[in-house]
Amino acid sequence: MAVFDHLEIAAETLREGVEFVEALLGVPLEAGGEHPLMGTHNALLSLGPEAYLEVIAINPEMVAPAHKRWFALDDFTGAPRLRAWIAATDDLEAALARAPEGAGRAVELTRGDLAWRMAVAQDGRLPFDGVFPALIQWQGAAHPAQRLPDRGVRLTGLTLQHPRAQDLGAALGQAVAPLEREPWLELRSGAAAMTARFETPQGARELA
């Protein structure tokens, strides 16, 4: 079983990413933390009691890792944009066994009382040109969404577009069922892309 966990918005700098999301959604983000293993840092926004949005960027003050960073951030340039979505599973090894080749290997991570295991692709790139979700398994009861103030923002839709949309749907059904049947998740055929839709205190917003 898998559930939606969070969205990743990548930016060249964390400040740029935060300003972009705050202007788009009309609410403030919260300071996050650092990921020493990946040389990145983040800011967070609640999407409800069990989900959140994360703005992530390379931290220029940290030593660059010897390996590729997650979400292909080493190659990221341009304006802030939706980079990935993350599905949480209660059995990461089983999900990885059913996931497409290149979904990654399980890596142990911690920050304060948060502990999780995440599948990280060797080259930083997720399957299906980044449209397939990253897989995560939280350890213990602590979860970022539980400690974020509720700003009234909710994810209402996520469109996944890929030239092999049918194959993508089959892969989702294998690895992250029953997520592929969620009414808010839409698969389309076309150039690889993702679009997230939100309801905010200022009305509907869209992020690609």
Side-chain angles (χ1 to χ4, degrees):
M1 295 291 290
V3 296
F4 171 76
D5 195 75
H6 66 281
L7 296 174
E8 291 286 352
I9 312 302
E12 290 191 11
T13 70
L14 187 59
R15 180 177 178 178
E16 182 182 11
V18 169
E19 290 177 350
F20 170 78
V21 173
E22 289 184 341
L24 177 69
L25 302 182
V27 296
L29 272 66
E30 308 302 317
E34 298 179 333
H35 312 107
L37 183 65
M38 293 294 168
T40 56
H41 53 172
N42 65 359
L44 307 174
L45 173 68
S46 169
L47 295 178
E50 298 177 344
Y52 63 102
L53 178 153
E54 177 176 9
V55 174
I56 193 166
I58 291 173
N59 187 341
E61 297 182 1
M62 299 181 75
V63 176
H67 51 268
K68 290 288 188 180
R69 293 179 173 92
W70 45 19
F71 313 120
L73 289 177
D74 294 293
D75 304 321
F76 183 87
T77 59
R81 58 189 180 273
L82 180 56
R83 192 65 163 178
W85 66 293
I86 292 81
T89 174
D90 56 5
D91 190 337
L92 184 57
E93 275 70 27
L96 280 172
R98 298 188 298 268
E101 183 177 357
R105 63 179 182 86
V107 175
E108 305 275 347
L109 295 155
T110 61
R111 186 170 70 246
D113 64 337
L114 294 171
W116 68 101
R117 304 173 66 239
M118 190 159 185
V120 179
Q122 185 174 2
D123 62 357
R125 300 183 181 280
L126 291 162
F128 288 92
D129 303 297
V131 179
F132 191 82
L135 302 173
I136 193 170
Q137 181 178 6
W138 291 97
Q139 305 289 287
H143 188 275
Q146 300 165 351
R147 57 196 65 188
L148 295 170
D150 190 343
R151 305 294 186 186
V153 177
R154 296 292 183 270
L155 179 70
T156 58
L158 179 63
T159 298
L160 309 178
Q161 186 170 292
H162 196 271
R164 295 191 292 124
Q166 187 172 358
D167 293 338
L168 173 59
L172 292 172
Q174 286 288 325
V176 294
L179 260 180
E180 85 284 2
R181 298 192 298 273
E182 289 285 352
W184 51 263
L185 186 64
E186 178 186 14
L187 271 64
R188 291 182 181 174
S189 181
M194 292 182 289
T195 304
R197 294 175 296 281
F198 305 90
E199 187 59 41
T200 80
Q202 286 71 42
R205 297 290 186 271
E206 187 171 281
L207 173 62

